[in-house]
Amino acid sequence: MNEDSALDSLVKAIAKLPGLGPRSARRISLQLLTNKESVMDPLIRALTHAKEQMKICHSCGNLDVNDPCYICTSERRDNTQMCVLADVASLWAVERTKIFKGRYHILGGVLSALDGIGPEDLKIGHLVERIHTQQPAEIILALSATVDGQATAHYLMDRIEELPYDIKITRLAHGVPIGGELDYLDEGTIVTAIQSRSAV
Amino acid sequence: MNEDSALDSLVKAIAKLPGLGPRSARRISLQLLTNKESVMDPLIRALTHAKEQMKICHSCGNLDVNDPCYICTSERRDNTQMCVLADVASLWAVERTKIFKGRYHILGGVLSALDGIGPEDLKIGHLVERIHTQQPAEIILALSATVDGQATAHYLMDRIEELPYDIKITRLAHGVPIGGELDYLDEGTIVTAIQSRSAV
């Protein structure tokens, strides 16, 4: 392998993708370059097409072919509920359940002291604006049950409670996942599941 | 996530890359679409550039900006040695050592009964042609120490021995990798290392 800048830049561009390092990037680059017609061309076409077609909804932060997205423009969704999420992947996860029929708001991450992500780096000001406009009756904070996720939820609760509206703030229930074996669960989850137990 | 064909085809194209599945492909797609300028544009540019620049050498099978490649055209390489490899990754691995100064020949894989890869699927006919032209004194079979790799090496030995030339056929030594702890090595490697032991 001599200094082939075209190959080097390809390996570097691929290594920047989440979950990939220099070794897997080199493997993928080789696969692409030895299969130009069957693998590389379809990938370039799909990337270019998706780049042109997919837009980030300026209202909720979702990815869609339209801006505002199909959820924000739908008249069948419930304006009284707003679900606050960290990212698009979380929105897709909730949408797949088909149980939530309100609107969404994507923060673009969670507060993180370690990664230097403060409130001004997230779409929190925009969330407050949307609360003023939409005045939902309930805000569901659907953030991860991690330290950063819960810190973000607490910060948002404080910010929302300052607002001059009577908004019910809820969070996702913690407990034993469906199909989860107690034996493999951490103690924190089991403690929460016992404390939040319900009558049968 | 509704039926966004642009997004679906992107996820599918990425999931086809080695080492990636639908889940990591979705994660990468999201990362790309939410960072169009910083991640997606450089990737598309690098792919397009590499696609135009990098060619497969029709002689040895290496990837290079020129065809024939820089190794095949170099006058400083030794025509009396030819190293036969499964793929470009193996060639790069050998080149990094800077110890081999002969020519290369890439087969494009190894024989595999399970995957239905027979001799006609590999560049074996082309190897025989190159032996006729170049008439190397030594052929090094640098194939993996797997069942398929060794079966390929045996097949090649038979084919090369049929030829009307006096060619020395060698293979890579087996043994304990440098820095390898005996405790973590499989028995097969240790047996080979003991049998091939050398005086100090």
Side-chain angles (χ1 to χ4, degrees):
Chain A
M1 184 167 53
N2 62 351
E3 311 311 312
D4 294 320
S5 67
L7 181 66
D8 280 356
S9 12
L10 178 61
V11 172
K12 273 181 199 147
I14 293 177
K16 273 188 192 150
L17 301 176
L20 298 180
R23 226 189 157 80
S24 44
R26 205 158 60 197
R27 198 163 145 235
I28 289 173
S29 303
L30 267 181
Q31 169 85 347
L32 287 166
L33 288 165
T34 46
N35 298 281
K36 283 189 182 173
E37 280 77 28
S38 60
V39 186
M40 196 169 201
D41 284 342
L43 178 64
I44 295 179
R45 273 200 302 274
L47 280 165
T48 314
H49 187 60
K51 187 192 144 192
E52 285 159 6
Q53 292 283 307
M54 305 301 292
K55 300 169 189 79
I56 293 172
C57 174
H58 74 276
S59 174
C60 72
N62 188 15
L63 266 177
D64 193 33
V65 286
N66 300 307
D67 174 20
C69 75
Y70 72 102
I71 298 177
C72 287
T73 50
S74 165
E75 291 182 0
R76 284 201 242 158
R77 311 282 308 206
D78 185 357
N79 263 330
T80 64
Q81 288 187 317
M82 185 184 284
C83 179
V84 177
L85 308 138
D87 48 35
V88 182
S90 308
L91 187 153
W92 289 355
V94 175
E95 268 300 279
R96 275 198 293 273
T97 66
K98 295 192 167 64
I99 204 164
F100 179 72
K101 290 295 171 200
R103 309 286 181 182
Y104 290 101
H105 185 85
I106 292 174
L107 296 172
V110 287
L111 298 175
S112 168
L114 271 180
D115 298 335
I117 298 174
E120 65 288 349
D121 299 313
L122 304 178
K123 293 206 171 138
I124 293 176
H126 186 204
L127 171 65
V128 172
E129 279 171 40
R130 286 188 68 199
I131 295 174
H132 281 303
T133 323
Q134 185 179 319
Q135 301 202 3
E138 179 181 359
I139 291 182
I140 304 170
L141 301 175
L143 299 163
S144 297
T146 57
V147 172
D148 286 345
Q150 294 311 298
T152 311
H154 278 286
Y155 177 84
L156 289 175
M157 271 170 60
D158 290 347
R159 287 287 297 267
I160 297 167
E161 276 166 357
E162 281 172 7
L163 300 176
Y165 310 112
D166 183 24
I167 301 173
K168 185 175 159 197
I169 304 175
T170 56
R171 62 163 181 79
L172 298 185
H174 293 316
V176 182
I178 307 297
E181 290 196 57
L182 284 192
D183 202 14
Y184 292 97
L185 275 177
D186 64 299
E187 286 157 33
T189 304
I190 297 179
V191 167
T192 317
I194 293 174
Q195 287 168 343
S196 315
R197 67 191 179 279
S198 56
V200 285
Chain B
M1 182 168 52
N2 61 352
E3 311 311 315
D4 294 319
S5 68
L7 182 64
D8 280 355
S9 14
L10 179 61
V11 172
K12 272 181 200 148
I14 293 177
K16 273 188 194 151
L17 301 175
L20 299 179
R23 226 189 157 83
S24 43
R26 205 156 60 198
R27 196 161 148 237
I28 290 173
S29 303
L30 268 179
Q31 169 86 346
L32 287 165
L33 288 165
T34 47
N35 297 281
K36 282 189 184 176
E37 280 77 26
S38 60
V39 186
M40 196 170 202
D41 284 342
L43 177 65
I44 294 179
R45 273 200 302 276
L47 279 165
T48 315
H49 187 61
K51 186 191 144 193
E52 286 159 6
Q53 292 283 305
M54 305 301 291
K55 300 168 189 79
I56 293 172
C57 174
H58 74 275
S59 173
C60 74
N62 188 17
L63 267 176
D64 192 34
V65 285
N66 299 308
D67 174 20
C69 75
Y70 72 104
I71 298 178
C72 286
T73 50
S74 166
E75 292 181 1
R76 283 202 244 158
R77 312 280 310 203
D78 184 357
N79 263 331
T80 65
Q81 288 187 317
M82 185 184 281
C83 180
V84 177
L85 307 138
D87 47 35
V88 182
S90 307
L91 188 154
W92 289 355
V94 174
E95 268 300 278
R96 276 198 293 273
T97 66
K98 296 191 167 63
I99 204 166
F100 179 71
K101 290 296 171 199
R103 309 287 180 181
Y104 290 102
H105 185 85
I106 292 174
L107 296 173
V110 286
L111 298 175
S112 168
L114 270 180
D115 299 335
I117 298 174
E120 65 288 348
D121 299 312
L122 305 178
K123 292 203 173 140
I124 294 178
H126 186 204
L127 171 64
V128 172
E129 278 170 42
R130 286 189 67 200
I131 295 174
H132 281 302
T133 323
Q134 186 179 316
Q135 300 201 4
E138 179 181 358
I139 291 182
I140 304 170
L141 300 176
L143 299 163
S144 298
T146 57
V147 173
D148 286 345
Q150 293 312 299
T152 311
H154 277 287
Y155 178 84
L156 289 176
M157 271 170 60
D158 290 346
R159 286 289 296 265
I160 297 167
E161 278 167 358
E162 282 171 8
L163 300 177
Y165 309 113
D166 183 26
I167 302 172
K168 185 176 161 194
I169 305 174
T170 55
R171 63 163 180 77
L172 299 185
H174 294 316
V176 181
I178 307 297
E181 290 196 56
L182 283 192
D183 203 14
Y184 291 97
L185 274 178
D186 63 298
E187 287 157 33
T189 304
I190 297 179
V191 167
T192 316
I194 293 174
Q195 287 169 340
S196 317
R197 68 192 179 278
S198 56
V200 286

